[in-house]
């Protein structure tokens, strides 16, 4: 917590570290109130640095002793300025011994060493290691670690750290020890320790080269019935990385530890991944299909970091997307491959596109917009964003689209050949891709340096006599903070042409046959692509498989969209056509609702929905995606002045219309898509449940009694959490008389399952009937805890980010609540407070009345004298012009 003006750090100011560290020996005497950390480092001057002082970072530490080459340093031998400890005139080679004290039980920020439900846990990325000991805590300093842990045996029977266990034993007086050695040099952000009362599911697993690795999933006693899915996911991840990229597990032991108090999803510490329980614990009783899928993806993600992030790491934090964008891409491909079928893969891709549009596009268009490789930051923790992660993954995906899967693999191989064991930059990855394929990817660099979402405008012209179709593509990119003008991007635009029958036409450009999908490379502001031998006037299917993270504009007619919605061979674009059809209508309905007019929905649209709903040749999972309407926030993004209430009214009206006019088909679907028998989280069953529950939701959007009876019946008889919450959600969203009782029953049954109680809070927080007063009341519930990030997210963040009607209440009460909670949370956990503060990013887009209240709330937060850098950066960017 600082009161001085936060400092901005610039990418251009990078200088190499003055000293390199070879070895680190850490000794921990673990005590929740007062932990002693002894740190012995061997260092040597870095020939690549002009700087001669030793620079160590430290935060919230009490320095007890400091020795250099055996000699105790006095106050005059070093300087401490803020978080930096500097030692001048040090020799070429030094051994530093540092003893510090910290208080893990007082650490509510959950960064560094903290206590969670009585257990010791660490989180060091990005800059948590400096809260454990003084250290050159920057990712380009890689060292070998040996760790000695000492703790009370009764309270902390399990002692874990990175690498291999080399020794353990008793210390007398009820204490014991364990010594761990990590054979691989690593940056400090990958350090981890766990001292806890835990149990594990473990298994020996055969690696491709014949070695056996010990795999463990550690959880609190009582949760051993929820570890199997994580273990299976881990094994699948290991196998997949061997097969797809030839990358093997390099350790004899790989551990996952679950904790209930965690700022994000999980962390890829070398050999000792630490996870939020949300991404480990699952069984059908407590976890939904989405939870099962999330666990597989996150277990994969953290495992894949072992190569993309750990073996090859980032030179500095500006390069974060080097590991995150690439690793998200890898986990996305993994999830797609695990589903296997092409339509399953498409559904997976549609989910990615939806997230990107729903969360990343708004970020790119708001005050926090930044390039995939940012140029500056105040607080690095604010840059673990959807831009760095999800847009970063799209950037990596574009290499694969441009180079092909094999070309991409060649690039990956070269990347590891060149950089294994190094801390590198995004440019190094791009060079490896270019060099391995003999391609010039210079212009592609702009995806890393320019922020904002590019807009690609398309126009098509068919020349009947020449049998040519000319596609004119032009690009532009709106100004973003600090970047008024943009240069053209290198954009892969995958295109197909549909004939009147709905079938793909063969594509030829410059005499080259390109199959039925051509990847056009748009590199200029404007380019023409001429397809020859086009037998009929086609309907263009543009940006297939969402080949670039851009907004695509084309003046589609309703007829063309209906044609694509019925026939496009590219499932992503088929879905996209449906989204465009609904979005157009939702925007018109919103206008009418705002003017107090009468709402109506055309038959054409309802018929198109009916056709998809009843098309049994389509996968249920795809049908569900195609029938799902754009969210209220996505509608808001399309408007010049956002009016949350009319948007809600319009969307609710459309849901009710679909529910009523397709009543029979929805009911039939509800009945035909049941998944009786034992629960299985395979893609097929997940798809059936999704479609069935969407049908239930549509039916529940109408006033029909029958739907509520179905929901009640499903709620009572459900044998899995997916069906249980879907039914409860339908009751809550219909404001059914049975809802309060169902909520109580749900609570009583799952009182001891923290992750389920999170759902209980979140469902209430996002109900359109839940106003600020109700949220305040829920905050007084004994199960609410302001110190637990999952709980805060489930109640406070869900309300502010996913209950638009109430959050944007006309009296400004939602915003006042937001300010109050941001301030309260900031004193406990700046990272969580900062995430919440982002709910106000796009305040300038609302009506003047709402804007005035929002500004007031932002100013209230900004006016606090004691505010973390995290929150200060976000609110000051929101308020600046
Ligand atoms: N690398 C971590 C994120 C750390 C966030 C620090 N504020 C998880 C991940 O992306 O795998
Ligand atoms: Zn990651």
């Amino acid at each position: 917590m600082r009161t001085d003006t936060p400092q901005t750090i610039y990418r251009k100011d990078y200088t190499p570290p003055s000293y390199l560290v070879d070895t680190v020996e850490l000794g921990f005497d673990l005590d929740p109130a007062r932990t002693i950390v002894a740190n012995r480092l061997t260092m040597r001057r870095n020939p690549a640095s002009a700087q001669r002082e030793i620079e160590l970072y430290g935060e919230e530490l009490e320095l007890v002793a400091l020795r250099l080459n055996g000699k105790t340093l006095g106050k005059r031998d070093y300087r401490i300025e803020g978080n930096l400890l500097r030692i001048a005139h040090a020799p070429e080679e030094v051994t530093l011994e540092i003893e510090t004290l910290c208080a893990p039980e007082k650490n509510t920020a959950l960064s560094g060493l903290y206590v969670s439900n009585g257990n010791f846990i660490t989180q060091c990325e990005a800059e948590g290691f400096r809260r454990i000991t003084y250290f050159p805590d920057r990712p380009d300093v890689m060292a070998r670690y040996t760790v000695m842990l000492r703790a009370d045996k009764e309270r902390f029977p399990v002692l874990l750290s990175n690498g291999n266990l080399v020794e353990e034993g008793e210390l007398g007086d009820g204490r014991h020890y364990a010594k761990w050695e990590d054979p691989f040099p690593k940056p400090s952000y990958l350090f981890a320790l766990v001292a806890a009362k835990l149990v594990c599911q473990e298994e020996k697993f055969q690696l491709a080269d014949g070695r056996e690795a010990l795999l463990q999933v550690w959880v609190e006693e009582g949760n051993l019935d929820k570890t199997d899915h994580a273990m299976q996911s881990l094994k699948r991840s290991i196998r997949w990385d061997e097969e797809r990229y030839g990358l093997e597990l390099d350790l004899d032991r790989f551990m996952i530890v679950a904790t209930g108090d965690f700022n994000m999803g999980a962390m890829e510490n070398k050999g000792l991944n630490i996870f939020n329980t949300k991404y480990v614990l699952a069984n059908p009783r407590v976890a939904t299909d989405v939870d099962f899928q999330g666990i597989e993806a996150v277990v994969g993600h953290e495992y894949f970091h072992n190569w993309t992030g750990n073996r090859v790491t980032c030179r500095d934090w500006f390069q974060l997307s080097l590991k995150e964008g690439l690793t998200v891409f890898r986990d996305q491909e993994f999830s797609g491959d695990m589903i296997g079928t092409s339509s399953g893969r498409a559904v997976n891709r549609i989910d990615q596109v939806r997230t990107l549009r729903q969360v990343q596009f708004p970020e790119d268009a708001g005050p926090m917009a930044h390039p995939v490789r940012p140029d500056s930051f105040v607080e690095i923790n604010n840059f673990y964003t959807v831009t760095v992660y999800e847009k970063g993954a799209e950037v990596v995906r574009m290499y694969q689209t441009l180079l092909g899967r094999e070309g991409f693999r060649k690039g990956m191989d070269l990347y590891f050949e060149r950089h294994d064991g190094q801390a590198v930059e995004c440019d190094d990855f791009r060079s490896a891709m270019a060099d391995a394929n003999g391609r010039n990817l210079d212009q592609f660099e702009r995806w890393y340096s320019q922020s904002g979402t590019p807009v690609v405008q398309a126009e098509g012209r068919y020349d009947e006599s020449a049998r040519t179709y000319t596609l004119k593509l032009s690009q532009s990119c709106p100004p973003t903070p600090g970047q008024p003008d943009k240069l053209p991007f290198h954009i892969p635009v995958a295109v197909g042409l549909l004939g009147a029958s709905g079938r793909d036409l063969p594509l030829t450009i410059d005499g080259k046959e390109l199959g039925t999908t051509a990847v056009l490379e748009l590199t200029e502001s404007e380019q023409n692509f001429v397809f020859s031998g086009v037998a009929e006037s086609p309907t263009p299917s543009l940006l297939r498989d969402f080949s670039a993270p851009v907004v695509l504009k084309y003046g589609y007619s309703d007829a063309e969209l209906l044609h694509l919605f019925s026939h496009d061979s590219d499932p992503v674009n088929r879905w996209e056509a449906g989204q465009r059809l609904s979005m157009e209508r939702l925007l018109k309905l919103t206008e009418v609702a705002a003017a107090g007019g009468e709402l109506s929905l055309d038959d054409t649209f309802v018929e198109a929905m009916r056709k998809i709903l009843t098309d049994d040749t389509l996968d249920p999972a795809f049908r569900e995606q195609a029938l799902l309407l754009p969210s209220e926030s996505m509608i808001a993004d399309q408007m010049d002045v956002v009016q949350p209430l009319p948007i809600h009214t319009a969307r609710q009206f459309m849901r009710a219309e679909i529910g009523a006019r397709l009543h029979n088909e929805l009911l039939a679907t509800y009945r035909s898509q049941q998944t009786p028998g034992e629960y299985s989280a395979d893609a097929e069953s997940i798809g059936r449940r999704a479609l069935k529950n969407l049908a239930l939701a549509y039916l529940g959007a109408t006033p029909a009694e029958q739907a509520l009876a179905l929901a009640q019946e499903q709620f009572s008889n459900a044998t899995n959490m997916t069906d249980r919450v879907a039914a409860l959600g339908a009751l809550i969203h219909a404001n059914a008389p049975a809802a309060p009782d169902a909520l109580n029953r749900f609570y009583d049954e799952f009182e001891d399952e923290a992750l389920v109680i999170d759902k209980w809070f979140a469902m209430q927080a996002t109900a359109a009937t839940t106003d600020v007063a109700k949220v305040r009341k829920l905050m007084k519930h004994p199960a609410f805890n302001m110190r637990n990030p999952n709980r805060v997210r489930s109640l406070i963040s869900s309300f502010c980010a996913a209950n638009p009607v109430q959050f944007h209440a006309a009296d400004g009460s939602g915003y006042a609540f937001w300010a109050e909670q941001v301030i309260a949370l900031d004193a406990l956990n700046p990272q969580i407070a900062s995430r919440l503060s982002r709910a106000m990013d796009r305040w300038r887009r609302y009506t003047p009345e709402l804007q005035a209240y929002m500004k007031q709330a932002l100013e209230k937060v900004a006016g606090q004298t004691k505010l973390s850098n995290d929150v200060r950066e976000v609110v000051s960017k929101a308020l600046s012009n």
Side-chain angles (χ1 to χ4, degrees):
M1 198 71 47
R2 292 182 203 99
T3 47
D4 50 334
T5 336
Q7 210 193 323
T8 302
I9 300 164
Y10 295 91
R11 182 167 62 90
K12 61 174 169 49
D13 292 345
Y14 173 85
T15 54
S18 55
Y19 275 75
L20 301 173
V21 181
D22 292 310
T23 61
V24 185
E25 287 164 70
L26 294 169
F28 287 86
D29 280 290
L30 292 160
D31 178 333
R34 189 174 179 277
T35 287
I36 309 168
V37 182
N39 174 5
R40 185 172 189 276
L41 324 165
T42 57
M43 310 172 83
R44 66 199 144 83
R45 206 174 276 158
N46 182 3
S49 166
Q51 154 82 288
R52 304 219 133 195
E53 293 191 339
I54 296 178
E55 283 190 344
L56 310 172
Y57 295 90
E59 207 179 292
E60 310 258 314
L61 296 174
E62 188 184 325
L63 183 60
V64 179
L66 182 57
R67 276 185 299 278
L68 190 148
N69 291 344
K71 181 179 157 273
T72 300
L73 298 187
K75 285 251 152 59
R76 267 176 302 165
D77 302 319
Y78 62 89
R79 317 190 301 282
I80 295 187
E81 288 153 13
N83 289 334
L84 262 182
L85 187 160
R86 290 198 171 89
I87 308 172
H89 317 299
E92 195 91 16
E93 294 194 5
V94 299
T95 299
L96 264 188
E97 289 164 279
I98 310 164
E99 208 179 290
T100 50
L101 285 176
C102 61
E105 70 183 7
K106 292 212 186 97
N107 183 354
T108 56
L110 313 187
S111 162
L113 176 64
Y114 62 94
V115 177
S116 163
N117 202 16
N119 297 326
F120 286 102
I121 300 284
T122 54
Q123 171 53 39
C124 293
E125 189 178 359
E127 297 175 339
F129 193 69
R130 63 188 63 180
R131 295 161 64 89
I132 295 176
T133 181
Y134 278 99
F135 197 80
D137 186 18
R138 38 187 291 168
D140 55 353
V141 173
M142 296 170 87
R144 278 199 178 76
Y145 286 65
T146 308
V147 179
M148 172 67 103
L149 303 173
R150 285 177 288 262
D152 183 83
K153 191 171 182 180
E154 170 89 31
R155 287 164 70 195
F156 310 105
V158 177
L159 303 175
L160 310 174
S161 191
N162 317 84
N164 301 314
L165 178 65
V166 289
E167 209 185 307
E168 60 185 332
E170 306 291 324
L171 286 167
D173 67 3
R175 291 162 65 78
H176 69 148
Y177 73 92
K179 190 175 174 187
W180 291 80
E181 239 173 51
D182 187 347
F184 294 94
K186 64 167 174 286
S188 49
Y189 81 86
L190 290 174
F191 166 81
L193 79 79
V194 170
K197 196 171 247 171
L198 297 173
V199 289
C200 82
Q201 175 181 348
E202 63 179 359
E203 211 168 297
K204 288 251 168 79
F205 189 66
Q206 182 102 40
L207 305 175
D209 70 356
R211 282 180 306 129
E212 253 191 1
L214 177 65
L215 310 181
Q216 297 180 318
V217 180
W218 292 91
V219 297
E220 280 178 15
E221 189 140 41
N223 281 331
L224 264 186
D225 59 340
K226 304 183 195 78
T227 51
D228 200 54
H229 182 63
M231 178 62 92
Q232 300 311 325
S233 302
L234 176 59
K235 292 192 288 184
R236 285 197 286 269
S237 306
I238 297 174
R239 210 41 102 221
W240 183 84
D241 222 11
E242 289 174 349
E243 284 167 6
R244 175 93 181 247
Y245 290 110
L247 297 172
E248 280 193 19
L249 175 59
D250 53 11
L251 293 163
D252 301 330
R253 180 171 178 151
F254 192 90
M255 299 168 278
I256 287 177
V257 174
T259 171
D261 299 284
F262 208 61
N263 281 347
M264 62 268 171
M267 178 65 212
E268 70 263 25
N269 317 299
K270 186 81 187 184
L272 180 57
N273 287 186
I274 298 180
F275 273 60
N276 188 325
T277 43
K278 181 172 164 58
Y279 292 107
V280 176
L281 304 181
N283 66 27
R285 191 176 94 89
V286 299
T288 62
D289 294 341
V290 172
D291 295 328
F292 274 85
Q293 289 173 320
I295 289 168
E296 184 180 74
V298 177
V299 167
H301 181 97
E302 305 311 331
Y303 176 75
F304 303 142
H305 266 315
N306 192 48
W307 280 93
T308 50
N310 301 4
R311 287 287 287 254
V312 182
T313 195
C314 303
R315 185 193 74 167
D316 54 69
W317 291 120
F318 298 103
Q319 318 298 327
L320 183 58
S321 197
L322 171 76
K323 74 177 177 81
E324 295 305 345
L326 176 54
T327 305
V328 171
F329 169 74
R330 274 152 56 70
D331 85 55
Q332 291 175 345
E333 290 288 276
F334 167 63
S335 299
D337 284 349
M338 289 306 107
I339 302 174
T341 64
S342 73
S343 72
R345 220 180 273 275
V347 167
N348 183 43
R349 182 74 187 128
I350 289 167
D351 268 330
Q352 292 155 16
V353 177
R354 189 181 277 121
T355 308
L356 203 75
R357 285 204 183 126
Q358 171 114 2
V359 203
Q360 199 280 323
F361 283 15
E363 179 164 276
D364 241 350
M368 278 290 286
H370 54 276
V372 164
R373 180 193 57 204
D375 290 318
S376 68
F377 58 73
V378 171
E379 172 52 62
I380 182 56
N381 284 317
N382 283 334
F383 287 81
Y384 286 76
T385 58
V386 273
T387 298
V388 166
Y389 276 64
E390 271 72 21
K391 185 177 182 179
E394 293 300 321
V395 170
V396 174
R397 183 176 296 278
M398 286 190 285
Y399 287 111
Q400 183 168 278
T401 305
L402 290 167
L403 305 172
R405 221 163 122 148
E406 267 169 45
F408 184 79
R409 169 67 195 268
K410 276 199 247 161
M412 286 286 276
D413 289 351
L414 186 59
Y415 175 63
F416 291 116
E417 197 184 305
R418 284 181 177 172
H419 302 298
D420 188 11
Q422 299 175 5
V424 303
E425 297 175 76
C426 297
D427 282 341
D428 294 308
F429 185 77
R430 187 167 50 87
S431 300
M433 285 292 154
D435 296 349
N437 290 280
R439 287 274 314 244
N440 181 332
L441 292 173
D442 292 352
Q443 190 184 347
F444 197 82
E445 200 257 347
R446 291 177 192 154
W447 283 111
Y448 292 96
S449 59
Q450 299 188 140
S451 56
T453 308
V455 177
V456 172
Q457 181 93 40
E459 273 166 57
R461 194 167 35 82
Y462 181 62
D463 183 333
E464 205 179 332
S465 56
R467 291 161 55 99
T468 58
Y469 179 77
T470 305
L471 188 64
K472 184 168 109 187
L473 296 178
S474 52
Q475 59 165 309
S476 61
C477 184
T480 43
Q483 296 191 341
D485 304 302
K486 313 290 167 82
L487 294 166
F489 291 84
H490 183 171
I491 307 177
V493 182
V495 172
L497 300 178
L498 271 71
S501 72
R503 251 181 289 185
D504 279 325
L505 304 175
L507 307 177
T508 305
I509 295 182
D510 293 334
K512 248 179 97 183
E513 287 177 21
L514 301 165
T516 52
T517 298
V519 178
L520 309 178
E521 296 191 25
L522 176 62
T523 52
E524 316 279 321
S525 328
E526 191 178 303
Q527 263 165 275
N528 281 318
F529 299 88
V530 183
F531 296 89
S532 55
V534 184
E536 52 178 307
S537 176
T539 305
S541 168
L542 305 165
L543 207 72
R544 282 188 158 174
D545 204 38
F546 198 65
S547 60
V550 302
V551 171
L552 181 102
K553 294 207 166 148
Y554 177 90
Y556 280 116
S557 67
D558 240 29
E560 284 176 305
L561 289 175
L562 289 164
H563 192 56
L564 294 170
F565 195 40
S566 309
H567 301 292
D568 202 325
S569 66
D570 180 69
V572 173
N573 266 4
R574 196 167 173 185
W575 163 79
E576 174 72 3
Q579 295 294 294
R580 284 179 194 258
L581 286 166
S582 359
M583 183 60 91
E584 272 174 23
R585 283 156 177 87
L586 285 163
L587 288 171
K588 280 195 195 116
L589 286 168
T590 301
E591 248 175 65
V592 178
E598 199 176 323
L599 305 180
S600 71
L601 186 60
D602 59 302
D603 284 337
T604 319
F605 178 75
V606 178
E607 281 320 304
M609 296 296 259
R610 190 194 315 271
K611 224 171 109 191
I612 292 279
L613 175 63
T614 55
D615 185 345
D616 287 326
T617 65
L618 292 172
D619 253 13
F622 178 80
R623 282 190 267 166
E624 193 256 348
Q625 293 280 10
L627 295 167
L628 207 58
L629 302 179
S631 68
E632 291 178 27
S633 73
M634 281 166 104
I635 304 167
D637 288 338
Q638 302 297 315
M639 298 173 63
D640 295 330
V641 179
V642 181
Q643 294 175 279
L645 195 55
I647 294 177
H648 181 70
T649 309
R651 193 170 181 276
Q652 287 304 106
F653 168 78
M654 198 166 192
R655 292 181 68 236
E657 282 297 291
I658 294 171
R661 286 154 74 176
L662 300 182
H663 178 268
N664 293 343
E665 291 83 352
L666 287 165
L667 203 57
T669 305
Y670 181 79
R671 298 215 164 101
S672 68
Q673 300 301 323
Q674 298 287 331
T675 48
E678 205 184 318
Y679 172 89
S680 157
D682 64 281
E684 155 87 24
S685 315
I686 289 178
R688 292 174 79 94
R689 277 190 290 273
L691 181 59
K692 175 195 70 183
N693 287 324
L694 182 70
L696 182 66
Y698 272 126
L699 291 167
T702 67
E705 288 287 317
Q706 188 189 12
L708 297 182
L710 278 185
Q712 245 182 303
E713 189 190 310
Q714 176 169 322
F715 178 74
S716 301
N717 301 339
T719 55
N720 62 70
M721 185 50 74
T722 308
D723 287 342
R724 185 78 60 121
V725 291
L728 184 54
L731 293 172
I732 294 172
H733 291 295
N735 208 9
D741 181 49
L743 270 166
N744 288 338
R745 274 167 60 200
F746 188 83
Y747 186 88
D748 290 343
E749 185 169 345
F750 296 105
E751 191 172 356
D752 299 328
E753 299 288 353
L755 295 170
V756 183
I757 298 306
D758 288 338
K759 297 183 198 303
W760 183 81
F761 277 111
M763 274 191 281
Q764 298 180 77
T766 53
T769 48
T770 298
D771 57 8
V772 169
K774 178 78 192 290
V775 177
R776 287 188 193 279
K777 203 173 145 210
L778 283 166
M779 284 178 71
K780 296 225 169 72
H781 191 283
F784 184 75
N785 173 5
M786 199 66 163
R787 282 166 199 246
N788 176 258
N790 285 0
R791 233 359 88 86
V792 169
R793 280 186 282 253
S794 68
L795 182 58
I796 299 175
S797 312
S798 295
F799 176 77
C800 296
N803 193 341
V805 180
Q806 296 287 358
F807 180 60
H808 298 285
D811 61 359
S813 56
Y815 312 142
F817 172 78
W818 166 88
E820 205 182 304
Q821 302 315 320
V822 169
I823 293 165
L825 278 166
D826 198 43
L828 294 170
N829 188 331
Q831 285 185 46
I832 299 298
S834 177
R835 283 280 151 154
L836 178 64
S837 68
R838 297 284 310 268
M840 214 65 107
D841 265 13
R842 304 256 276 157
W843 67 279
R844 289 179 202 273
R845 306 192 66 257
Y846 289 82
T847 58
E849 301 77 40
L850 292 178
Q851 269 192 44
Y853 284 124
M854 289 168 117
K855 187 161 184 227
Q856 215 174 35
L858 279 161
E859 280 169 348
K860 175 160 181 208
V861 174
Q864 300 292 306
T865 45
K866 263 191 152 192
L867 206 58
S868 66
N869 280 350
D870 310 55
V871 171
R872 171 91 54 214
E873 178 174 29
V874 172
V875 294
S876 51
K877 283 183 177 165
L879 284 167
S880 81
N881 280 310

